Amino acid sequence: DQGDAVGQFNLGLHYEHGEGVRKDPAEAFCLYRLSAEQGCDDGQWALGICYYEIGFGVEKNLAEARRWLT
């Protein structure tokens, strides 16, 4: 985590899928949030999906999902 939004998004993908690291949806969510808050489109999309899907590192929240997906 060096403040690189695209790097945070990419690392989040690794944690989401367990590629090279232990699968950890909560860590993926945190990385997606860091990325999204810095304006990374991919990070915003991924964060929105996290809020939309049940059990992906955070409780389902359709209002937050809408916020990040639109």
Side-chain angles (χ1 to χ4, degrees):
D1 171 15
Q2 298 288 318
D4 177 347
V6 174
Q8 291 163 336
F9 166 73
N10 287 327
L11 186 56
L13 286 175
H14 286 278
Y15 277 101
E16 178 180 353
H17 300 287
E19 297 171 353
V21 295
R22 172 184 42 83
K23 189 173 184 173
D24 187 343
E27 183 64 21
F29 171 80
C30 289
L31 289 161
Y32 291 153
R33 180 177 258 324
L34 288 171
S35 176
E37 289 174 344
Q38 293 178 76
C40 176
D41 291 339
D42 290 331
Q44 291 171 348
W45 176 82
L47 185 62
I49 295 301
C50 289
Y51 278 116
Y52 184 75
E53 294 182 358
I54 296 173
F56 192 89
V58 67
E59 289 185 29
K60 186 171 186 170
N61 183 326
L62 295 180
E64 280 295 306
R66 192 174 309 111
R67 173 181 171 215
W68 291 105
L69 292 171
T70 56

